[in-house]
Amino acid sequence: MDKDHENYVNNDSKKGNKIDKSTFYYLSTIVALVMTIPGIITLITMRFYTDSLILQLSITSFVFLISLIFSIKIAKLLSIRVEHKQFK
């Protein structure tokens, strides 16, 4: 197997596109926290204010949806930042 075919199989045509594992884990943790913490806080807060399970689930689901949208935007911004930092 020649080098070009090996890079094609690994889906890595440029050596400089790889990021460190620690950076990857750090950024993934940030995105995961942005996705989960608002929903958990909302669910715990709603448990104290109302006994209606349907109301709790609907509001918490809405908050999870909003936090998912924000986490996607944050992940895009972080990936652009990492790519920009690599090419400097």
Side-chain angles (χ1 to χ4, degrees):
M1 214 185 274
D2 60 348
K3 291 283 187 185
D4 292 333
H5 183 66
E6 183 178 325
N7 286 339
Y8 178 74
V9 170
N10 291 335
N11 200 13
D12 182 25
S13 60
K14 298 179 183 176
K15 280 286 198 195
N17 280 347
K18 293 184 179 181
I19 61 171
D20 298 343
K21 283 185 181 181
S22 61
T23 305
F24 178 75
Y25 293 146
Y26 174 72
L27 297 177
S28 298
T29 302
I30 290 173
V31 172
L33 289 174
V34 167
M35 281 184 354
T36 57
I37 288 180
I40 292 171
I41 290 173
T42 304
L43 181 62
I44 292 171
T45 305
M46 290 300 297
R47 294 287 290 173
F48 288 115
Y49 288 115
T50 184
D51 290 334
S52 173
L53 185 62
I54 294 178
L55 182 64
Q56 292 173 12
L57 289 176
S58 62
I59 292 175
T60 304
S61 298
F62 181 71
V63 170
F64 270 123
L65 179 69
I66 298 299
S67 64
L68 180 67
I69 292 168
F70 277 126
S71 68
I72 290 170
K73 290 184 180 193
I74 289 172
K76 286 181 183 179
L77 289 173
L78 289 175
S79 67
I80 290 170
R81 183 178 172 206
V82 168
E83 286 176 6
H84 182 66
K85 190 182 282 189
Q86 282 182 344
F87 289 121
K88 278 190 171 182

